[in-house]
Amino acid sequence: MTRILTVQDISCVGQCSLTVALPIVSACGIETAVLPTAVLSTHTAFRPGYTFRDLTDDILPISDHWRKEEIYFDAVYTGYLGSKRQVDLILTLVDRHLAPGGKLIVDPAMADGGKLYAGFPEDFPRDMARLVAAADIILPNITEAALMTGLPFRTEYDEGYILELLRRLNAIGAKTVVLTGVSFSPDKLGVAVYDGEADAVRYYFTDKEPRMSHGTGDVYASAFTGAFMNGFDVYESAAIAADYTVRTIRATIGDDAHWYGVNFEKELRYLVERIGK
């Protein structure tokens, strides 16, 4: 049975990070081990006052124990990190625990809407870029791509701008990029899938839903990882994850009290059937 390790925070309430990754990847028929980077009472879009516990000092002792037990993973999938120090610790984890031929999948979850999430220092993208450089596949949004590459963030752009972002990410070291949140028309939203070796881009678009939803990046990255680790190629996995994420948004429309995330649970059956599990 395929086994992956996902490394990201636990936001106790908010339907993001590990509370999304663990059920989604597990539903795809994959044994999912976890390593929390931090514990928050809620995600950072809630009002100020949420608690935050940095778990940086726990990462290496956990790895030391795993090394004694000779525990290895077919993939390591990373999301929100709790501190800059965790970049080097994750690189150590990968060196110690990623099985031969395994994949490092990085969602550089740190920013959206042109700015970093609360709590990250301004130079954090530079550290995240080091993790991106080691990855086999990365899944940034446009804000994260711009911050890591130094290209100005734009809300209006053309294919030339997207291609420049992708090429700059490749220059950092990213082999394959799935850039999320791409839109060239008001009614469509999608992803740009970039093969760095071929310098080639393929797009996949879905209808844009009339709702801004928190946590959809984590939902997307988790569904992508589940599909990819079931043998679908990068583009197929990107399309499956996009379709699933749209369905989770639609499942939440009309539920005004559910502003903090999406009802991803209601569409897990669709995802499981889509990947043939």
Side-chain angles (χ1 to χ4, degrees), residues 171-242:
I172 290 172
K175 304 172 183 66
T176 302
V177 182
V178 181
L179 184 67
T180 63
V182 177
S183 179
F184 300 120
S185 63
D187 60 337
K188 296 291 182 181
L189 185 67
V191 296
V193 180
Y194 180 72
D195 180 343
E197 184 175 347
D199 189 30
V201 186
R202 295 178 69 187
Y203 292 97
Y204 185 82
F205 293 102
T206 60
D207 291 336
K208 185 184 291 186
E209 299 301 322
R211 173 191 169 101
M212 195 288 289
S213 300
H214 296 288
T216 50
D218 297 337
V219 169
Y220 181 88
S222 300
F224 173 91
T225 300
F228 182 74
M229 296 307 294
N230 269 286
F232 292 91
D233 66 27
V234 173
Y235 184 80
E236 292 169 335
S237 300
I240 290 169

Side-chain angles (χ1 to χ4, degrees), residues 18-207:
L18 278 181
T19 62
V20 164
L22 179 57
I24 290 177
V25 180
S26 296
C28 293
I30 296 167
E31 180 184 347
T32 309
V34 302
L35 201 165
T37 58
V39 177
L40 293 80
S41 55
T42 67
H43 63 60
T44 59
F46 281 77
R47 288 177 292 183
Y50 54 83
T51 66
F52 180 93
R53 175 75 65 176
D54 184 352
L55 298 180
T56 300
D57 291 339
D58 294 284
I59 293 176
L60 201 55
I62 290 171
S63 173
D64 289 340
H65 182 217
W66 286 351
R67 187 157 61 166
K68 290 177 183 178
E69 296 293 330
E70 299 184 351
I71 294 173
Y72 303 98
F73 303 98
D74 299 299
V76 174
Y77 153 40
T78 72
Y80 182 99
L81 306 186
S83 71
K84 295 168 62 174
R85 287 174 52 207
Q86 291 183 0
V87 170
D88 289 315
L89 292 173
I90 289 172
L91 292 172
T92 297
L93 280 171
V94 169
D95 183 62
R96 288 180 172 187
H97 302 292
L98 188 62
K103 301 295 183 182
L104 173 57
I105 301 170
V106 173
D107 174 10
M110 61 179 174
D112 203 2
K115 60 182 181 180
L116 287 167
Y117 295 147
F120 285 124
E122 289 186 7
D123 62 348
F124 188 76
R126 182 175 59 197
D127 291 280
M128 183 61 78
R130 294 192 295 112
L131 184 57
V132 160
D136 295 287
I137 303 169
I138 66 169
L139 300 103
N141 60 35
I142 291 177
T143 298
E144 292 156 350
L147 288 172
M148 286 189 291
T149 61
L151 202 64
F153 171 74
R154 296 180 184 174
T155 56
E156 296 183 4
Y157 47 79
D158 56 16
E159 291 189 37
Y161 174 78
I162 296 300
L163 182 58
E164 180 64 18
L165 274 178
L166 295 168
R167 285 174 171 167
R168 289 196 184 198
L169 289 168
N170 181 244
I172 290 172
K175 304 172 183 66
T176 302
V177 182
V178 181
L179 184 67
T180 63
V182 177
S183 179
F184 300 120
S185 63
D187 60 337
K188 296 291 182 181
L189 185 67
V191 296
V193 180
Y194 180 72
D195 180 343
E197 184 175 347
D199 189 30
V201 186
R202 295 178 69 187
Y203 292 97
Y204 185 82
F205 293 102
T206 60
D207 291 336

